[in-house]
Amino acid sequence: MTATEHPFAHLSENQLAELAREFDAIHDQVRADLGERDRRYIKGVIRLHRQIAVAGRALLLGSRSKVAWTAGTGCLAIAKILENMEIGHNVLHGQWDWMNDPCIHSSTWDWDTASTAAAWKHSHNYIHHTYTNIRGKDKDLGYEIMRIDPHQKWHPAYLAQPLYNLLLMAFFEWGVAVHDMDVEAIRAGEKPMKDVWHDIKGISGKARDQILKDYVGWPLVSALAATAVGRLVHREPRSRARVLADRARGRRRKGAVRARLAAARAEGAGTFAATFWADFTANIIRNLWAHSIIFCGHFPDQTYTFSQDEVRDETRGGWYVRQLVGAANITGSPLFHLLSGNLGYQVEHHLFPDMPSSRYAEIASQVREICRRYGLPYNTGPLSKQLGTVHRTILRLAFPGGKVRPKPGPYRGDELERAA
Amino acid sequence: MAEVGMRPPASPLRRRALRALRWLFTPLRPDDYLELINPLWSTRELRGRVERVEPERGGAATVLIRPGFDWVGHRPGQYVRLGVVIDGVHHWRAYSLTSSPDRADGLISVTPKRVDGGVVSPFLVDRVHPGEVVRLGEVEGSFTLPDRLDRGLLFVTAGSGITPVMSMLRHLAPGPGLRDVVHVHSAREADGVTFGDELAALDEQHQGFRLELRITGEDGRFTPADLDTLCPDWRERETYACGPGELLDALQSHWKRHGDAGRLHHERFQPIVGGEDAEGSGGTVRFAHRNLDADCPPGTPILVAGENAGVDMPFGCRVGVCHTCVLPIREGRIRDLRTNAVSEKHNEIVRTCVHGAEGRVTVEL
C-alpha cells in the first residue's frame, strides 16, 4: 500500500507553506472581486427556482392529464434540485453572507429537505469540512452505515450495503437528516439526551411540514381545482325556459345532481392521487440526483483517505492538500454544474467552502496550475466514470478484504487543458 | 444575522391570509413568491421605491421614496434606517427624514450630503436612479417638537444638521407653527446652502419666521455668545440644535452656564469615528476563531479593524443605532468612540461599529 500513501510526502514544510499562501491568495482575490455580478447570479438562480416551482405546481393542478403530470413532475424535481444543491447547500455554507442580505444568509436560511439547517451546518460545514476524509473523524466517510474505504473493518452487516444503498438513494434526504443526528455518538452515549431530543424535535417538525406540503396540501389544492373546473366545464346545457318549467312543476332532478357530484368526487380523488404521486416522484428524482452527485464527491477511486496519525500537527498547507486530494470533481456542461450545485467542482469547494459556487469554474484553472507545479493530483472525470467507481466500491467492500485502488498520480496539465 | 428592514404595516387580514397559506410554501413563504411579481409586496421587511432624486446645493441630494405600504408616519426630526444595495452588498445608514409627515402624495425623503470617501452617501447623491428598491428600517429618534407650542422656537443648525429641522419647518409652515421662530443656520459658502432657497422663501412668506444665515467662510464661525445679538431672548425659547459635535458641545455648556439646559434639545450626527485627533492609544483586536490579530489604531472601530484584516464582520448602520454588528468581547478594554469613555469588558456584547480597542481586546465571532 506504500504506493498510495501520502500523495504529498514529496513536499517540504516550506513548500506546503508556500502552497498555502498561493491558495489563500486565490481566496482573497475572489473575495475582493465579489460584487453586483455575483449578486445578480444568485438572485437569478433563486428567481429561476421559484418560477420553475410555480410552473410545476400549476401544471400539477391538471395532474390527471399525462402530459401535465410529466411536465409538472419534471419542473418540480428540477426546482427541488436547484433549491437543495445550488441554493440551499451553498447559502448554508455562508457563501453569500458577504452580501449582508437578510433574506439570503446562512443564519436565516432554511431548505426544502428533511435536515434542519442548524443540524446540517454542524455535521456538514463543521465536522465534514474540517475533518474531511480522516478515518474515524469524518462521519461522511460511508455515513456510518457503509464500508466505503478498505481501511474500515468489515462486519457482516455490510453484506447488505448494496441493498440499503438503493434505499438510501431513493430516500436520501431522510438518511441525511438521521445522519446529522450522529447515531454513532448516541449509541456510544457521547451525546447528551437533551441534544438528541432537540434534534428529534427539529427533524419531526421538518418532516411534518414536508409531508403536509407535498402529500396533503398540494394534492388537495389540485383536487379542489380539478373539481371546480369539472363543475364549470361539464355543466349540462339547459335552456332557461326548461329550468323554469322544471321548477314550476316542482321537479328536482335529484338523480342528475347526485351523478354530477359523484363524478366531481371521483375527479377530485383521482387528481389528489395523481398530484400525490407526482410530488413523491419529484422527491425521489431529487434524492437520486443528490445522492449521485454527493457520493461522487469523495468516494471515487481517485480520492485519498487519511489516518488520524497522518494529520497530527497538520499545517494550513497540509489542510489544503488534504482537501485537494480527498475530493473529486465531475466534468460537465454549465447546465450540469448548475444542477449539481457546482459540486462538480468538489475540489474547489473543499478548498474554499465559503466561496460563492459560481466562482469555482473561474478558479479551477488556477487550482490545476498549482497541482501541476507541486506535483499533486487533480481528481476529476465524467459522471459515468465517477459514479461507476463509487458503486463498484460499494459492491466490492460489502465483502471482506479489498485494496486501496490505484491512484492517477500527479496532475500533468494534459487532457483537461487541451479540452479547454 | 444581517440587518433587516422594519415590519411593514400590512393589514391584519393580509397577514392572516399569508400565514394560513404558509404551510403550502414551507420553508419559503408566500411572500417569497409574491415578491417575484413586485418586491414591494413583501411583508417580511418594508421596502420602498425611489421615485425621484433632486440635487440640492452643497453636494447633497433629496431622495424621494415611495414606501411599499402606507407610510407608518414619523415625527418631524426623527430618522430612518435606510438600506441600499451597492455593488452587491447591503449597506445601512441612518438618515434624518426631511419630508413633512403630512405629505399628501405619501412620499418620504432623506437628504444625504456626499461624504468624500464614503460608500452610501456618494451612491445616493450620484448613482441612485428612480425605480431602485431600497429597504426601510424603524423610525427612531427623540429629537422632536413639543406636543404644544406655547413658547417661541430657536433652531441652531450647521451644514447637514439642517436635515431634521427641515422636516420640522415643513411640518410647521402650513399651520400657525411659524409665528415665533428664529433659525440660526451656518454654512460654509453662500451658494452651497442646502435648502437655501426654501429657507429664504419661508423667511419671506412668514412674518414670524426669521432666518439668520451665517456664511462661515466669510463671517467666521458661529459661537453661542453670538446669540445675544442674533436672538436676545434665546433663554426663553425652546431650542433645537443639530450640527457638528463641537457646535453641540459649545451650545450645551453655554446653556448649562447661562440658560436652562432643559430647553436645549440636540441631535448628534456622525458619531465621530476615526480622524487624526482621535483620543486613546488604540490597540489590537484578537479574533479567537481565526487565530488572528488585527491592528486597531486610535479612533478605529473594532468593526473596521476586523474588516481591514479580512474578517467577515457583521455590520449594519455603522453609527451605533441598529445593533447588527454586536459581538461578544471576551476580555479587554474598549473605548466608546462617541463619548471617549473607556471601559473594561469581560464576556460582554458590544457594538463593534462605535467602539475601538484600548490595548489588547479579544473578540468572539
Side-chain angles (χ1 to χ4, degrees):
Chain A
M1 234 173 51
T2 43
T4 61
E5 213 74 281
H6 245 18
F8 48 98
H10 62 284
L11 295 179
S12 69
E13 279 293 306
N14 282 340
Q15 280 174 305
L16 278 177
E18 184 50 36
L19 176 135
R21 269 193 294 278
E22 290 201 39
F23 278 131
D24 283 344
I26 295 177
H27 178 271
D28 295 347
Q29 169 204 329
V30 171
R31 181 70 187 79
D33 188 49
L34 294 176
E36 191 51 41
R37 165 167 78 103
D38 302 272
R39 179 178 169 80
R40 263 206 305 274
Y41 172 78
I42 190 64
K43 293 282 280 186
V45 175
I46 289 175
R47 199 178 317 116
L48 181 69
H49 154 247
R50 289 173 190 174
Q51 284 164 345
I52 297 177
V54 168
R57 297 294 186 195
L59 283 163
L60 289 177
L61 293 181
S63 55
R64 291 206 77 182
S65 136
K66 271 214 178 80
V67 177
W69 191 93
T70 312
T73 307
C75 282
L76 203 54
I78 289 179
K80 280 172 179 279
I81 284 170
L82 277 178
E83 197 269 352
N84 275 194
M85 309 288 285
E86 181 64 342
I87 306 172
H89 168 257
N90 294 334
V91 171
L92 287 176
H93 259 296
Q95 291 181 4
W96 301 98
D97 285 5
W98 59 272
M99 298 195 301
N100 205 29
D101 185 334
C103 300
I104 311 175
H105 202 273
S106 63
S107 61
T108 53
W109 194 264
D110 195 6
W111 54 351
D112 183 26
T113 179
S115 299
T116 63
W120 169 263
K121 280 188 274 190
H122 177 79
S123 78
H124 179 80
N125 292 7
Y126 170 52
I127 302 289
H128 168 60
H129 272 274
T130 310
Y131 303 113
T132 315
N133 285 24
I134 302 175
R135 300 186 292 268
K137 291 271 246 181
D138 180 1
K139 299 188 164 150
D140 284 16
L141 211 58
Y143 295 97
E144 301 183 338
I145 52 167
M146 274 189 221
R147 186 162 177 259
I148 204 84
D149 186 285
H151 294 95
Q152 281 170 277
K153 215 175 139 246
W154 184 80
H155 184 277
Y158 287 129
L159 283 171
Q161 82 176 19
L163 197 70
Y164 58 70
N165 181 44
L166 285 179
L167 279 173
L168 183 66
M169 284 169 82
F171 300 100
F172 192 54
E173 58 171 319
W174 303 101
V176 172
V178 174
H179 169 67
D180 285 345
M181 291 178 60
D182 197 353
V183 180
E184 221 163 62
I186 298 172
R187 267 209 303 253
E190 286 161 8
K191 191 166 170 166
M193 276 325 277
K194 197 172 72 136
D195 294 358
V196 177
W197 182 237
H198 181 81
D199 284 357
I200 290 175
K201 270 211 310 222
I203 295 175
S204 38
K206 289 218 60 170
R208 184 199 56 218
D209 290 352
Q210 294 264 71
I211 291 168
L212 210 58
K213 175 184 66 165
D214 278 344
Y215 301 123
V216 181
W218 285 104
L220 209 58
V221 171
S222 289
L224 290 174
T227 313
V229 169
R231 283 189 61 119
L232 281 178
V233 172
H234 302 303
R235 177 159 284 176
E236 212 176 299
R238 286 161 77 199
S239 70
R240 190 156 172 78
R242 180 72 190 274
V243 172
L244 289 175
D246 281 352
R247 220 177 266 165
R249 268 182 248 142
R251 224 166 58 193
R252 302 284 302 277
R253 303 175 12 115
K254 276 188 190 144
V257 170
R258 214 175 294 141
R260 257 207 322 265
L261 275 176
R265 251 203 308 273
E267 175 85 24
T271 309
F272 185 96
T275 302
F276 179 99
W277 289 113
D279 290 357
F280 181 79
T281 310
N283 277 325
I284 298 280
I285 294 173
R286 184 266 315 269
N287 287 345
L288 290 176
W289 180 254
H291 176 279
S292 300
I293 297 300
I294 288 161
F295 269 52
C296 285
H298 299 286
F299 307 151
D301 288 353
Q302 304 160 335
T303 60
Y304 292 81
T305 62
F306 301 85
S307 70
Q308 296 186 29
D309 280 339
E310 282 172 304
V311 296
R312 199 149 288 149
D313 308 319
E314 186 180 61
T315 60
R316 181 136 184 86
W319 183 88
Y320 269 127
V321 181
R322 174 160 57 83
Q323 302 298 332
L324 184 78
V325 302
N329 282 357
I330 313 166
T331 52
S333 65
L335 181 64
F336 167 81
H337 288 304
L338 172 67
L339 291 175
S340 58
N342 275 300
L343 289 181
Y345 293 103
Q346 187 79 242
V347 168
E348 286 76 11
H349 173 56
H350 261 269
L351 291 169
F352 310 112
D354 65 352
M355 179 184 288
S357 56
S358 52
R359 294 290 192 134
Y360 293 150
E362 295 173 20
I363 60 156
S365 63
Q366 285 171 271
V367 172
R368 285 200 297 269
E369 170 59 17
I370 290 178
C371 290
R372 194 184 56 75
R373 277 192 283 115
Y374 287 83
L376 291 165
Y378 183 79
N379 302 330
T380 187
L383 182 63
S384 53
K385 180 186 146 210
Q386 305 296 71
L387 204 55
T389 61
V390 168
H391 285 286
R392 184 175 61 191
T393 299
I394 291 173
L395 276 174
R396 170 63 190 89
L397 294 184
F399 301 96
K403 283 199 295 285
V404 175
R405 286 264 161 192
K407 306 292 177 192
Y411 174 68
R412 307 211 181 279
D414 36 29
E415 70 268 31
L416 270 170
E417 233 97 284
R418 253 179 274 130
Chain B
M1 90 149 238
E3 188 170 359
V4 68
M6 75 178 284
R7 203 175 130 90
S11 76
L13 196 69
R14 179 169 177 166
R15 280 205 186 277
R16 226 170 294 150
L18 290 173
R19 206 176 312 138
L21 289 176
R22 203 175 150 171
W23 62 290
L24 284 173
F25 298 89
T26 179
L28 296 175
R29 306 181 191 190
D31 276 325
D32 294 321
Y33 290 91
L34 286 175
E35 97 187 20
L36 291 179
I37 309 170
N38 183 346
L40 264 48
W41 289 352
S42 171
T43 59
R44 296 176 76 161
E45 61 170 355
L46 183 61
R47 295 173 187 163
R49 204 185 284 280
V50 173
E51 189 105 341
R52 283 200 302 284
V53 183
E54 295 169 351
E56 303 278 359
R57 292 205 197 143
T62 291
V63 182
L64 288 133
I65 299 162
R66 180 173 302 287
F69 291 80
D70 287 342
W71 180 232
V72 287
H74 65 274
R75 300 182 64 189
Q78 289 190 303
Y79 54 85
V80 68
R81 286 185 300 118
L82 184 71
V84 290
V85 179
I86 305 171
D87 298 330
V89 181
H90 283 234
H91 293 271
W92 288 86
R93 292 290 186 278
Y95 288 111
S96 288
L97 287 152
T98 49
S99 50
S100 161
D102 325 309
R103 272 186 87 110
D105 59 5
L107 298 184
I108 58 167
S109 70
V110 295
T111 309
K113 186 179 166 172
R114 188 190 304 110
V115 177
D116 291 326
V119 176
V120 177
S121 64
F123 173 79
L124 287 174
V125 174
D126 302 322
R127 282 170 61 192
V128 79
H129 288 294
E132 182 99 14
V133 173
V134 297
R135 282 151 178 83
L136 296 166
E138 279 77 17
V139 174
E140 289 167 87
S142 52
F143 184 66
T144 52
L145 293 168
D147 293 333
R148 286 183 48 204
L149 292 171
D150 40 16
R151 208 186 272 282
L153 292 174
L154 168 61
F155 293 122
V156 183
T157 56
S160 51
I162 182 70
T163 49
V165 169
M166 207 57 223
S167 179
M168 294 179 178
L169 293 175
R170 284 168 170 171
H171 169 65
L172 294 173
L178 291 186
R179 59 174 185 252
D180 184 13
V181 176
V182 178
H183 187 171
V184 180
H185 180 56
S186 305
R188 202 163 296 152
E189 295 158 359
D191 54 356
V193 185
T194 308
F195 299 125
D197 294 341
E198 195 171 342
L199 291 172
L202 286 174
D203 187 44
E204 211 165 281
Q205 288 158 10
H206 295 268
Q207 283 272 302
F209 178 76
R210 179 157 59 85
L211 174 69
E212 293 289 349
L213 190 60
R214 173 72 77 110
I215 304 303
T216 55
E218 297 160 15
D219 316 337
R221 194 171 271 201
F222 162 83
T223 62
D226 300 340
L227 284 173
D228 289 333
T229 46
L230 292 172
C231 178
D233 62 346
W234 60 269
R235 285 179 190 80
E236 321 309 324
R237 292 173 179 267
E238 211 65 45
T239 300
Y240 289 84
C242 184
E246 317 97 80
L247 173 70
L248 298 180
D249 291 343
L251 289 171
Q252 262 182 307
S253 59
H254 192 72
W255 253 253
K256 231 176 257 167
R257 217 168 312 142
H258 308 290
D260 177 358
R263 288 199 191 147
L264 175 67
H265 313 272
H266 68 276
E267 178 78 314
R268 251 170 222 282
F269 267 163
Q270 302 149 351
I272 24 54
V273 169
E276 282 126 39
D277 40 305
E279 287 182 36
S281 53
T284 56
V285 181
R286 177 161 190 77
F287 292 93
H289 74 298
R290 293 248 325 244
N291 216 359
L292 182 102
D293 284 305
D295 188 31
C296 191
T300 305
I302 293 171
L303 169 63
V304 175
E307 286 175 334
N308 289 345
V311 181
D312 269 324
M313 305 283 288
F315 68 90
C317 68
R318 291 174 179 270
V319 290
V321 175
C322 73
H323 288 254
T324 305
C325 66
V326 295
L327 287 178
I329 301 283
R330 195 186 288 170
E331 58 191 350
R333 278 152 57 81
I334 59 166
R335 178 182 291 271
D336 187 326
L337 297 174
R338 299 162 302 175
T339 61
N340 271 317
V342 175
S343 55
E344 182 93 31
K345 301 284 174 196
H346 280 286
N347 296 320
E348 269 175 77
I349 290 179
V350 305
R351 282 167 279 177
T352 59
C353 70
V354 289
H355 288 95
E358 278 297 298
R360 204 173 157 74
V361 169
T362 306
V363 173
E364 309 260 5
L365 188 61

